[in-house]
Amino acid sequence: MSDQTRFILNETDLPRNWYNVLADSPVPPAPVLNPMTKEAITPEFLSVLFPMEIIQQEVSTERYIEIPEEVREIYKLYRPTPLVRARRLEKALDTPAHIYYKNESVSPVGSHKPNTAIPQAFYNKVAGTKAMTTETGAGQWGAALSMACNFFGIDLEVYMVKISYNQKPYRRIFMQTYGAQVFASPTDRTEYGRALLAKDPENTGSLGIAISEAVEMAAASGGTKKYGIGSVLNHVLLHQTVIGEEALKQMDLAGEYPDVIIGCVGGGSNFSGIAYPFLRQNLKDGQRTRLVAVEPTATPSLTKGVYAFDYGDTAQMAPIVKMYTLGHTFMPAGIHAGGLRYHGMAPSVSALYDAGYIEAVAVSQIGTFDAAVQFTKAEGILPAPESAHAIRVAINEALDAKAKGEKRVILFNLSGHGHFDMTAYQSYLNGELVDYEHPEHAIEEAMKDLPQVSEEA
Ligand SMILES: *Cc1c(COP(=O)(O)O)cnc(C)c1O
């Protein structure tokens, strides 16, 4: 075992391939359905939104997909990212456990999201795309795609959830600095947005609504605009596996192997990014690492949702996928982890959870900020509220190991820093945060709006 604290790889260690879990997953995901016909989706439907290379990756079952050299060159701005042993946190907890974290907050925009934004912009550039549309909640995905589109000379329209647009001006300005156009969703630019505003001019938006607007703008553009998505779909999860591939090499440098891997889940991309390469080792190499997905009690899609076919967006324009869902009509509570407020979960994460290959746990908002502050004080890095969900469970695991007198090797993904989330920390420090549990009756109610699809689908 190494006595180092940081485990740094060279540029030459940057992975050459992304890992496609669908090649090894014992549970093949259900087909993706067209929201209008409810039949299996065709490449023609998807080609309205995505370039062909992305569509091929979305449906691929190849185990490894080569990372283009142009993408690797840009990854080198911040990759490989450090793996750090949280020695000061271990000491503060007085635990026999060893805690490691993969630090994805060192990317230029402060989160893991450029890992997929860069290849998405690249494949669009190669396909001749001049403009893209996307949605963003708190602005992390929007900032990542703004940076990537700027690098490749692609115009970008970002539909930003209105409440965040008003409350979080700094990420909006960040996106605008890269040259993106940012609109407060619901907007009057789309049919769907206009219909919502006619009903309620005060509508503060949701991620599901912003997705609908970004998809409508691309679909109605006659092929001139393509759409980029920050999580949930297979190709996004694929791109994020650089995190876990690097972490495997770095754990080797540390001379240890994780007993448990922890990641927060919004749509599931940073969790699967770190976990899937280790799942491969479980399936192929006889390892027994536990993989734990952490969600807020306010958006408990895995722990309380239903495994069913549902629309990816509120307006029922996005494809229907089989996933753990709270219903596409879900309106999230105003918790501060904006990146975790999606109603559904990635289909591959859902299938693997359903079959018992991964675990899930929900944590409350105040407990999460307790952990965030403990981590900030011990390790110096102020985490994103999303990432703090993983920290909460990493600390719980370390305390459990202590109670049982066990050595346990814990690895979690620090998906981002929280420098744009100071109002959340201010609320916590002022004692103004509240816990919120999404009520069972709201889930039951929302299930009435699930699409009716045939059983074989
Ligand atoms: C977007 C985001 C998440 C949640 O999205 P996933 O696709 O589940 O990873 C988590 N952490 C940070 C910092 C984010 O920006």
Side-chain angles (χ1 to χ4, degrees):
M1 192 189 55
S2 167
D3 56 10
Q4 273 176 235
T5 296
R6 273 160 49 95
F7 300 90
I8 308 293
L9 298 173
N10 292 318
E11 254 177 45
T12 50
D13 295 316
L14 190 63
R16 299 200 171 269
N17 297 291
W18 292 300
Y19 170 59
N20 184 2
V21 78
L22 299 186
D24 295 322
S25 176
V27 278
V32 176
L33 307 181
N34 179 313
M36 266 94 75
T37 64
K38 306 203 173 69
E39 305 281 333
I41 210 154
T42 58
E44 291 76 58
F45 177 91
L46 288 175
S47 69
V48 173
L49 301 180
F50 303 108
M52 201 42 76
E53 185 65 37
I54 296 271
I55 295 170
Q56 277 163 6
Q57 290 185 359
E58 185 59 29
V59 298
S60 171
T61 51
E62 288 291 309
R63 181 168 290 116
Y64 293 104
I65 294 178
E66 195 177 339
I67 306 176
E69 208 38 52
E70 292 88 339
V71 171
R72 292 180 83 246
E73 283 308 313
I74 297 181
Y75 274 173
K76 285 175 189 171
L77 290 175
Y78 65 98
R79 305 209 73 84
T81 62
L83 178 87
V84 185
R85 173 133 174 235
R87 291 181 183 275
R88 295 176 50 85
L89 180 62
E90 289 170 14
K91 206 166 272 167
L93 298 170
D94 189 25
T95 174
H98 292 181
I99 307 174
Y100 293 86
Y101 62 92
K102 183 71 167 149
N103 188 359
E104 290 297 306
S105 82
V106 301
S107 86
V109 300
S111 78
H112 65 290
K113 296 226 167 67
N115 298 336
T116 184
I118 294 161
Q120 287 190 43
F122 169 74
Y123 291 122
N124 271 286
K125 180 68 182 179
V126 170
T129 306
K130 300 274 184 293
M132 292 178 69
T133 69
T134 199
E135 70 284 341
T136 197
Q140 285 136 324
W141 165 243
L145 194 61
S146 298
M147 178 183 78
C149 281
N150 156 66
F151 285 163
F152 288 107
I154 297 171
D155 291 339
L156 179 65
E157 289 175 14
V158 182
Y159 293 82
M160 183 173 188
V161 177
K162 189 178 281 173
I163 191 161
S164 300
Y165 182 97
N166 292 329
Q167 289 178 353
K168 304 197 168 174
Y170 295 136
R171 271 219 191 77
R172 161 165 57 85
I173 298 163
F174 199 7
M175 292 184 264
Q176 289 165 334
T177 306
Y178 287 119
Q181 282 184 280
V182 187
F183 304 102
S185 166
T187 71
D188 58 8
R189 296 170 57 82
T190 63
E191 262 181 51
Y192 186 57
R194 286 190 293 273
L196 290 175
L197 291 173
K199 253 192 265 164
D200 176 14
E202 307 300 319
N203 190 317
T204 54
S206 74
L207 202 54
I209 293 169
I211 295 174
S212 301
E213 290 206 274
V215 166
E216 181 184 328
M217 286 307 278
S221 72
T224 61
K225 291 176 192 170
K226 297 286 182 196
Y227 166 71
I229 185 161
S231 189
V232 180
L233 295 187
N234 294 332
H235 66 274
V236 179
L237 274 54
L238 173 77
H239 299 155
Q240 293 294 351
T241 57
V242 286
I243 303 172
E245 294 291 7
E246 289 177 6
L248 263 168
K249 291 187 192 173
Q250 288 164 309
M251 289 304 306
D252 205 39
L253 291 180
E256 300 208 87
Y257 198 86
D259 297 307
V260 53
I261 293 180
I262 301 161
C264 64
V265 286
S269 76
N270 87 86
F271 166 75
S272 41
I274 194 164
Y276 282 176
F278 288 89
L279 176 63
R280 175 188 64 216
Q281 302 309 103
N282 283 359
L283 294 170
K284 303 242 141 210
D285 203 33
Q287 297 286 356
R288 315 256 317 246
T289 304
R290 291 167 50 220
L291 307 170
V292 183
V294 190
E295 58 190 12
T297 53
T299 53
S301 23
L302 287 174
T303 53
K304 282 198 182 165
V306 174
Y307 190 36
F309 282 94
D310 197 6
Y311 300 98
D313 70 330
T314 310
Q316 311 182 356
M317 287 188 291
I320 296 171
V321 294
K322 190 168 185 197
M323 60 180 174
Y324 277 86
T325 180
L326 299 167
H328 61 277
T329 52
F330 175 69
M331 282 302 274
I335 58 162
H336 285 285
L340 306 184
R341 288 192 295 217
Y342 185 61
H343 66 271
M345 187 54 60
S348 67
V349 172
S350 296
L352 287 161
Y353 173 65
D354 186 57
Y357 290 91
I358 60 185
E359 303 169 28
V361 53
V363 295
S364 71
Q365 181 160 248
I366 295 173
T368 296
F369 273 86
D370 290 340
V373 170
Q374 197 168 14
F375 183 78
T376 307
K377 287 181 167 172
E379 297 292 321
I381 298 175
L382 183 142
E386 292 85 357
S387 318
H389 289 72
I391 299 174
R392 173 72 270 162
V393 173
I395 291 176
N396 292 353
E397 286 281 338
L399 294 175
D400 181 60
K402 176 180 174 177
K404 294 179 175 149
E406 275 174 31
K407 190 186 159 238
R408 195 175 299 177
V409 179
I410 300 165
L411 167 61
F412 74 86
N413 195 32
L414 184 70
S415 55
H417 67 63
H419 296 182
F420 287 104
D421 301 284
M422 288 307 161
T423 45
Y425 279 87
Q426 183 177 41
S427 301
Y428 172 79
L429 295 174
N430 290 345
E432 290 159 8
L433 280 191
V434 290
D435 281 338
Y436 185 82
E437 283 204 33
H438 189 56
E440 298 281 354
H441 67 81
I443 302 172
E444 278 163 35
E445 192 62 29
M447 291 307 120
K448 292 180 190 153
D449 297 319
L450 290 184
Q452 297 299 314
V453 304
S454 69
E455 270 308 309
E456 324 78 270

